[in-house]
Amino acid sequence: MKTLEGTTLKTFSELDLIEPLQRALFEENYHTPTPIQAHTIPAALDGCDILGCAQTGTGKTAAFALPILDYLGQEEQKVRSNRPLVLVLAPTRELALQIGESFETYGRHLRLRCVLVYGGVNQASQVRALNRGAHVLVATPGRLLDLMNQGYIHLEDLEMFVLDEVDRMLDMGFLPDLKRIIGKLPEERQSMFFSATMPPSIVELSQQLLFDPVSVNVTPKASSVEQIEQQVMFVEKNGKQMLLQNILASPNVDSVIVFTRTKRGANLVAERLQNSGVNSAAIHGNKSQAARQRALGAFKSGRLRVLVATDLAARGIDIDGVTHVINFDLPNEPESYVHRIGRTGRAGAKGIAVSFCSSAERGDLRAIEKLIGKRVPLAPDQLEPQPATTNREGHNNSSRRPRISVHSDQREARDCTGRGSEHSGGSRRSQRRRSGKRNQPAHQVGRRTDAGSNRASASTVASGTANRQTHSEDRPIEKIARNFVKSIATFKPKPRPTNGGRKRLHTKRPR
């Protein structure tokens, strides 16, 4: 495996690309290639296999699309019905659509046909497009296998094969499908693997499928996008919705993607935001493809201010101008955090990522901080959470879901199951016996009530990090949201660089 180091390419005009591609890049104001593009495109133009690793939002799509279009544009091959020349696999429908749009944009001056194949819609129109012939086929694994089994797709003529977001495919359980698809590929082909992370399983897969690949790694291992300002807010589950609505009340929070852990959670958050007057919509796997495309289109055009999504849709959202990403729920997998916050700060722009962390999620936060190699900073005016304590049985409470004190006019929060005995050990009867409160009803043990306000509070919680020692104080949600909004009052996204010129050096490269 060959490794490329250092970036020597300064402008797209220095690339050995045909004139129609140079013209399209000029029209799109593409001037300076990103590191993954500067490393990958020259090697791909030479016909090398590629194993590329770069952070999300750094231009991986153009890194493989431009060499493919350059090759097809020079060869001017005629395609046969149902026999594509190039296959690009993506894990989700949204990502497949984004890749298809990129091929259409870069290849607008070429007489090439790009066909998209994905599930969730009727296959009739896709079959008709395949019958007409496709130079480039962009597909998701499930629908591709269905059409292959029905005899609508044959891969004997394939010359180039691309796997995008390989790590996400493996996470989603597509490995058996990938093996069946790869088994149908011809031996002589150029293959390119791209991923935001590079776990050992992908390296092992690449060693089996790639021939003497060029390894392109332009980012530190498992790091997050450095242009993104990351913050964490400690708030219990029952206070997250109010905190979110208070943050969205600021006009400076313009274009926002909110991530939840479940589909039901995404629906609830979007519905409550809509009822509070915030124009929002949810996208996830249970939504029809038409509904997802309508929501994405409205969000891109600015008609929709907030998009609520699950992790499944995270990598399919490639939209410029997203100013904020809010993690309503922290992800179970720390790698998903990198992909989530990568929806903002794209193409070199700046962005803000805010994460809500409850007491039950402190382990997830600890895993995220371990992955990215640093602590996620606290949001403005947030104090450090109270450190873990040791109970009288000698056990460290950091491994349990602790009771977290809330605002003085609110009763103490309970754990997510609604049962009061899970953290304190023993049954409710034994709790009363130990505490001496025999006459107190069982449902009041371990709780305190107050006749004060029911307003939720964004109190801080234990993070589980050993070096966080400062005690926290109760902070109302409105104050936390207000201070956060003040801190971003002057935030403006960075504009994309403009093209300062173009130059064509070569017209053809050897095969």
Side-chain angles (χ1 to χ4, degrees), residues 61 89-101 116 138 140 164-165 168-169 292 296 312-313 315-318 343 346:
T61 303
L89 281 183
T92 65
R93 292 174 279 182
E94 283 73 24
L95 184 56
L97 288 166
Q98 297 283 358
I99 293 172
E101 291 177 2
L116 273 67
V138 182
T140 54
D164 195 17
E165 303 289 8
R168 186 60 176 168
M169 285 195 189
R292 292 159 78 168
L296 284 173
L312 180 63
R315 301 199 192 184
I317 304 174
D318 186 5
R343 300 310 103 190
R346 302 183 76 81

Side-chain angles (χ1 to χ4, degrees), residues 404-468:
I404 307 302
S405 64
V406 298
H407 200 258
S408 59
D409 60 357
Q410 233 189 345
R411 59 189 182 178
E412 194 164 341
R414 307 180 74 185
D415 73 316
C416 61
T417 62
R419 295 165 54 188
S421 61
E422 183 174 344
H423 339 262
S424 51
S427 65
R428 294 182 180 179
R429 180 175 297 178
S430 63
Q431 280 185 286
R432 285 187 291 163
R433 186 182 300 115
R434 287 197 300 266
S435 63
K437 298 180 180 180
R438 298 180 181 273
N439 296 326
Q440 185 178 6
H443 68 275
Q444 293 184 3
V445 174
R447 299 174 56 188
R448 63 181 177 86
T449 59
D450 201 316
S453 167
N454 289 326
R455 182 181 57 187
S457 168
S459 60
T460 56
V461 301
S463 68
T465 309
N467 58 351
R468 292 184 174 176

Side-chain angles (χ1 to χ4, degrees), residues 157-169:
D157 294 350
L158 201 74
E159 299 186 24
M160 305 181 81
F161 174 58
V162 179
L163 274 178
D164 195 17
E165 303 289 8
V166 187
D167 52 346
R168 186 60 176 168
M169 285 195 189

Side-chain angles (χ1 to χ4, degrees), residues 1 24 38 55 57 67 74 103 232 234 295 298 301 321-322 334 342 370 397 414 504:
M1 182 181 295
Q55 296 172 348
Q74 291 186 60
F103 272 98
V232 62
F234 293 101
S301 63
V322 176
K370 180 179 179 181
N397 288 332
R414 307 180 74 185
R504 179 185 173 198

